[in-house]
Amino acid sequence: DAKTTQPTSMDCAEGRAANLPCNHSTISGNEYVYWYRQIHSQGPQYIIHGLKNNETNEMASLIITEDRKSSTLILPHATLRDTAVYYCIVRVALLSNDMRFGAGTRLTVKP
Amino acid sequence: EPEVTQTPSHQVTQMGQEVILRCVPISNHLYFYWYRQILGQKVEFLVSFYNNEISEKSEIFDDQFSVERPDGSNFTLKIRSTKLEDSAMYFCASTLPGQGYEQYFGPGTRLTVT
């Protein structure tokens, strides 16, 4: 699986959009981009995933660049409850493939 | 909304004792996983399980570990003789075959070995 690079930490003001970047310059054509988050020591929570098109769900939007070498997770109106570690994971979508978690980005939403 | 559940939430055991961590995956999911996270470290893959057998396992998953799906709902992780370094959060996850095979995680069991 391709490696990802994320900033160690970011701050965001409550109510503003949080834009979390991820670089995955060695991504292969059959690898998806997944985003998870972990609030304190809770279980990782699935947020969104995509292959090459931009995706949106009730939690977030995922913007993938045309060359697929980077992506951005957007939380449109961050709340204090969005304070968490956010993980960008690149992986071939197979049942047998585990999720390879890195260090992620620690997002702190401030009032 | 269906979710993965895990019991107990916290388990304290003495070194050398056996522990069994329990998980109830989402009911229509077919593929199950165990991960662990030592305090302050990354989430690490332990094992995946499909069709009543281990599909993949990491180097962490040695002979002290075993997994079982004893009935149609539970998925268990057994550690035969716990060591101090087994102290960690243990997360169960499950997935359903589909486009992205995204995995859904339980809340975890905190295992403390004394």
Side-chain angles (χ1 to χ4, degrees), chain A residues 32 34 36 38 40-46 49 58 87 91 93-103, chain B residues 31 33 35 37 42-43 45 48 50 55-56 89 91 95-97 99-107 110:
Chain A
Y32 284 72
Y34 300 80
Y36 280 75
Q38 189 175 26
H40 196 46
S41 291
Q42 297 176 24
Q45 179 187 21
Y46 166 76
H49 75 277
E58 64 280 0
Y87 301 99
R91 159 188 182 262
L94 292 175
L95 278 175
S96 59
N97 282 2
D98 55 289
M99 291 291 172
R100 301 285 172 96
F101 290 85
Chain B
Y31 221 90
Y33 312 82
Y35 292 78
Q37 186 175 32
K42 299 176 186 178
V43 177
F45 168 73
S48 58
Y50 175 70
S55 178
E56 302 280 343
M89 286 289 292
F91 298 109
T95 193
L96 181 67
Q99 183 200 40
Y101 301 99
E102 60 271 22
Q103 295 176 17
Y104 293 88
F105 286 75
R110 178 173 298 283

Side-chain angles (χ1 to χ4, degrees), chain A:
Chain A
D1 294 334
K3 292 190 177 172
T4 61
T5 304
Q6 298 179 252
T8 304
S9 63
M10 293 181 64
D11 291 342
C12 176
E14 188 179 18
R16 304 298 291 268
N19 297 284
L20 292 98
C22 180
N23 285 324
H24 31 79
S25 58
T26 61
I27 192 170
S28 301
N30 60 348
E31 288 181 312
Y32 284 72
V33 180
Y34 300 80
W35 283 85
Y36 280 75
R37 71 181 182 184
Q38 189 175 26
I39 297 172
H40 196 46
S41 291
Q42 297 176 24
Q45 179 187 21
Y46 166 76
I47 301 173
I48 200 167
H49 75 277
L51 183 62
K52 49 187 172 182
N53 296 323
N54 297 338
E55 302 287 341
T56 296
N57 63 20
E58 64 280 0
M59 287 184 70
S61 295
L62 173 61
I63 308 297
I64 303 174
T65 58
E66 197 168 333
D67 63 8
R68 302 185 70 237
K69 293 185 176 182
S70 65
S71 60
T72 301
L73 178 75
I74 301 172
L75 308 178
H77 305 287
T79 71
L80 299 179
R81 287 174 295 182
D82 292 321
T83 292
V85 178
Y86 287 77
Y87 301 99
C88 169
I89 298 168
V90 169
R91 159 188 182 262
V92 177
L94 292 175
L95 278 175
S96 59
N97 282 2
D98 55 289
M99 291 291 172
R100 301 285 172 96
F101 290 85
T105 296
R106 180 171 298 278
L107 175 70
T108 303
V109 180
K110 299 188 172 181

Side-chain angles (χ1 to χ4, degrees), chain B residues 33-71:
Chain B
Y33 312 82
W34 282 102
Y35 292 78
R36 79 170 186 191
Q37 186 175 32
I38 295 170
L39 186 63
Q41 297 186 23
K42 299 176 186 178
V43 177
E44 301 173 288
F45 168 73
L46 292 177
V47 66
S48 58
F49 190 87
Y50 175 70
N51 202 25
N52 278 322
E53 59 184 28
I54 290 174
S55 178
E56 302 280 343
K57 60 182 181 179
S58 72
E59 59 276 7
I60 301 169
F61 194 88
D62 61 22
D63 292 343
Q64 292 297 313
F65 291 90
S66 62
V67 289
E68 196 177 33
R69 188 154 161 83
D71 52 42

